[in-house]
Amino acid sequence: MNAGNSSEKVVDCLNVLRILCPPPLYQLFCQIPETVLQQLEEVRFRQHAPLQLCLAQEDCFLNERGKVVKDWREGLVVSEDWLQRMVQSATQSSLYAMEEDIKRGFLTLPGGHRLGIAGRAVLSETGSLRSIRNITSLALRIAKSHIGASRVLAPYISISKHRVPSLLLISPPQCGKTTLLRDLARACSQGEYQLPAQKVVVVDERSELAGIVEGMRTFDLGPRTDVLDGCPKAEGMMLAIRSLSPQVLVTDEIGRMEDGQAILEAAYAGVTVFATAHAASLEEWRMRPSMRPLFEQQAFSRYAVISRRRGPGTLEAVYDANGKTLIVPR
Amino acid sequence: MIGSILTLTATSGIGFSVARSYRDRPKQIALLAQGLRLLRQEVEFAQVPLPLALSHVADLLPKPVNLLFRQMATNLEEQKNAGEAIDEAIVSFEKKLAMQKEDYEPLRTLGAVVATAHRTHLARELDTALIRLQSLEEIAETDRRKNEKVWQYLGVLVGVMIVIMMS
């Protein structure tokens, strides 16, 4: 996967940490070498536990002098006060305005970075999750743009001059699906890699694909792309088909029954869908009850399985609509 | 003659100044309550984040109470936590406004919970703050009726007495 501008990534990474962390903690992050920051994928803040840094190939801890250490016993312990301050920074002291996001377990920070939340679940009278209180863990996932990342997929989808086939990217979490999907949307919108230039609509439920902040896109999604920001996937796809006449619909992390139904609607409306789903293999994915109809009705013409065996975004296998292996890259 | 005029002007000025603070206090408490009612609308219906909600309230309120809301919004934008942002805004404005220390207490109480409260909880806290402000406004209004005129006359009369005693 080609890396973008490294110094920009470091600046972007420090910027989100500045927004999130109390000043003394941010100062420690500033002391981390640039080479480490470039590889930083996740930062895990757990109350009364050492601060964990997840890099592309390994994980380590930050100590109280701003040094990156391997031994968790030397890691800086995150205090309750710091964690609560981070929650306040992330929510702009407005938990009431973020209730829907918190219910889904994460907040999206400026720049499209995702902040996962763990704490005490608050249930409604019917037993469904209403909110999370007493937040004790925060998982910051650094969003990165890799222009050119989707080049590896192009040979499998540039099969017609007029239309691209629907594609599902399958991988466990943190293998680079969203990054690939983002670049695929951009490439399709620009008509790169011999793909026909298409009108693209991105249904960005978690504001992660476009990273829209105050109306401005953080990530380049190409010149023919419209973004439905913060819109639930299923509703957004239906809305896009009705009103935006897309040639390609792009959405992240499908999994619910209604997502499947909306994708089938799109497939029968002649719209190409690029989507991602969590699973380790095609077999695993098609066993999910909500996803099985998609496979049986051949909603997708291509499946690409991704791993991080040789770094995030490693293409493991490509299948056709029937699950027949097209290629097994080394 | 000049000394007498200066004395009379000074004592009258003090009297009118104290009377004005009695007159302004209930008005400012009412404006603070109006600000919290607007904030409640922002929280309940628009679900706007707190810094922006406080800015909207500041835009709608008249001076000088709007400056208190503006300062709270500015403090929050500087990444202070909600409690600190509200406390520091109160400290920087309590000498400039006619309200007394206890009049800010509902706002301080709100500051302690606003960042972590859910929508319904926060709406209840705002209602409680409004009830407390209403009773504080009634007390301030009673004080105004009792003291406003007294201080106006007292300033002038003390000045006249000093002038008579000096002459």
Side-chain angles (χ1 to χ4, degrees):
Chain A
M1 196 182 279
N2 291 338
N5 187 325
S6 302
S7 60
E8 264 179 34
K9 275 184 204 167
V10 171
V11 170
D12 192 39
C13 179
L14 285 175
N15 203 28
V16 69
L17 288 165
R18 184 182 54 74
I19 293 168
L20 185 66
C21 298
L25 186 54
Y26 170 65
Q27 289 308 322
L28 295 181
F29 279 108
C30 290
Q31 292 176 39
I32 298 177
E34 273 199 22
T35 48
V36 177
L37 285 174
Q38 280 163 16
Q39 294 180 59
L40 191 61
E41 291 186 349
E42 270 193 8
V43 186
R44 311 294 292 244
F45 305 92
R46 301 180 180 94
Q47 193 169 302
H48 306 313
L51 198 159
Q52 187 185 5
L53 305 174
C54 302
L55 310 182
Q57 298 295 343
E58 57 179 345
D59 73 74
C60 45
F61 298 86
L62 185 68
N63 78 4
E64 57 192 22
R65 292 184 303 282
K67 292 255 173 357
V68 177
V69 292
K70 297 263 183 201
D71 188 352
W72 62 269
R73 291 173 198 85
E74 294 174 28
L76 171 75
V77 173
V78 177
S79 70
E80 185 182 348
D81 178 54
W82 276 2
L83 200 80
Q84 295 318 314
R85 281 175 182 270
M86 280 188 260
V87 172
Q88 290 207 22
S89 299
T91 59
Q92 293 184 277
S93 298
S94 319
L95 209 62
Y96 62 87
M98 312 279 174
E99 281 180 24
E100 284 304 312
D101 297 313
I102 287 170
K103 204 161 38 173
R104 288 192 301 235
F106 62 85
L107 300 166
T108 305
L109 301 179
H113 309 286
R114 195 203 289 192
L115 188 70
I117 292 167
R120 170 91 180 154
V122 181
L123 301 181
S124 69
E125 286 165 4
T126 56
S128 59
L129 184 67
R130 200 172 71 188
S131 183
I132 297 173
R133 65 177 163 85
N134 301 345
I135 293 167
T136 50
S137 288
L138 296 174
L140 174 67
R141 278 180 68 174
I142 311 283
K144 286 173 183 164
S145 163
H146 290 265
I147 303 285
S150 64
R151 185 190 298 270
V152 67
L153 290 167
Y156 310 108
I157 53 173
S158 60
I159 50 179
S160 156
K161 282 185 179 170
H162 308 291
R163 195 164 173 233
V164 279
S166 290
L167 169 73
L168 181 69
L169 300 170
I170 299 171
S171 88
Q174 261 212 297
C175 290
K177 284 186 305 294
T178 303
T179 310
L180 269 177
L181 184 69
R182 186 185 293 130
D183 194 56
L184 198 58
R186 179 199 60 79
C188 208
S189 177
Q190 288 182 350
E192 270 192 11
Y193 318 136
Q194 294 173 336
L195 295 171
Q198 306 267 287
K199 283 183 288 174
V200 178
V201 174
V202 175
V203 183
D204 197 4
E205 183 169 356
R206 296 181 310 247
S207 305
E208 221 179 352
L209 286 166
I212 288 183
V213 182
E214 291 171 8
M216 298 292 289
R217 289 180 200 173
T218 305
F219 301 112
D220 179 12
L221 291 175
R224 298 179 182 85
T225 303
D226 304 297
V227 180
L228 278 167
D229 185 41
C231 187
K233 283 187 280 284
E235 277 179 73
M237 282 190 274
M238 299 311 294
L239 190 149
I241 293 167
R242 278 198 305 269
S243 59
L244 294 167
S245 63
Q247 289 168 301
V248 177
L249 261 174
V250 177
T251 194
D252 204 7
E253 289 184 16
I254 57 166
R256 290 173 300 185
M257 199 62 89
E258 59 264 35
D259 299 340
Q261 285 164 355
I263 286 171
L264 281 176
E265 288 285 340
Y268 293 136
V271 177
T272 296
V273 178
F274 292 158
T276 68
H278 282 143
S281 64
L282 176 61
E283 287 69 34
E284 236 181 70
W285 172 77
R286 59 192 262 202
M287 296 310 284
R288 290 164 67 174
S290 57
M291 297 289 107
R292 193 176 296 162
L294 289 180
F295 184 78
E296 286 168 357
Q297 296 182 48
Q298 301 194 341
F300 292 101
S301 305
R302 294 286 183 273
Y303 299 93
V305 178
I306 314 294
S307 79
R308 50 185 304 138
R309 188 166 50 87
R310 284 185 284 128
T314 305
L315 185 61
E316 289 291 347
V318 181
Y319 303 92
D320 70 5
N322 300 308
K324 188 180 152 207
T325 309
L326 292 179
I327 188 163
V328 185
R330 286 182 201 167
Chain B
M1 182 65 185
I2 292 170
S4 305
I5 292 170
L6 284 175
T7 306
L8 196 59
T9 310
T11 57
S12 303
I14 292 168
F16 276 100
S17 166
V18 176
R20 192 175 60 234
S21 69
Y22 277 108
R23 191 173 62 240
D24 288 349
R25 186 182 163 211
K27 284 184 195 166
Q28 290 180 4
I29 295 173
L31 284 174
L32 182 59
Q34 190 188 338
L36 293 189
R37 272 192 289 276
L38 291 168
L39 188 62
R40 196 182 190 285
Q41 285 177 7
E42 295 280 340
V43 167
E44 277 217 293
F45 303 112
Q47 292 173 38
V48 174
L50 197 58
L52 194 58
L54 289 167
S55 286
H56 287 171
V57 173
D59 290 342
L60 296 169
L61 283 183
K63 278 184 179 176
V65 176
N66 70 332
L67 299 175
L68 179 65
F69 283 88
R70 181 84 61 212
Q71 189 62 52
M72 289 190 268
T74 307
N75 289 352
L76 275 174
E77 279 158 10
E78 287 169 4
Q79 288 191 289
K80 290 177 176 140
N81 75 33
E84 287 169 358
I86 292 178
D87 276 351
E88 287 178 21
I90 291 172
V91 168
S92 57
F93 273 90
E94 65 189 346
K95 285 192 179 142
K96 295 174 193 161
L97 297 175
M99 287 187 285
Q100 293 182 359
K101 202 173 176 188
E102 63 266 28
D103 302 334
Y104 296 103
E105 278 312 310
L107 199 55
R108 281 187 208 275
T109 310
L110 206 58
V113 297
V114 66
T116 52
H118 292 280
R119 200 160 49 244
T120 43
H121 178 200
L122 187 55
R124 270 203 301 275
E125 291 289 340
L126 281 162
D127 286 343
T128 309
L130 284 168
I131 291 167
R132 288 175 67 192
L133 281 176
Q134 197 177 359
S135 66
L136 285 163
E137 189 189 342
E138 284 165 13
I139 293 167
E141 182 59 29
T142 311
D143 284 351
R144 184 194 69 78
R145 277 200 296 271
K146 272 199 296 196
N147 298 313
E148 185 188 357
K149 291 256 162 59
V150 172
W151 275 95
Q152 279 176 5
Y153 295 136
L154 204 63
V156 178
L157 286 175
V158 168
V160 170
M161 272 174 64
I162 292 171
V163 169
I164 291 168
M165 282 162 68
M166 280 166 58
S167 57

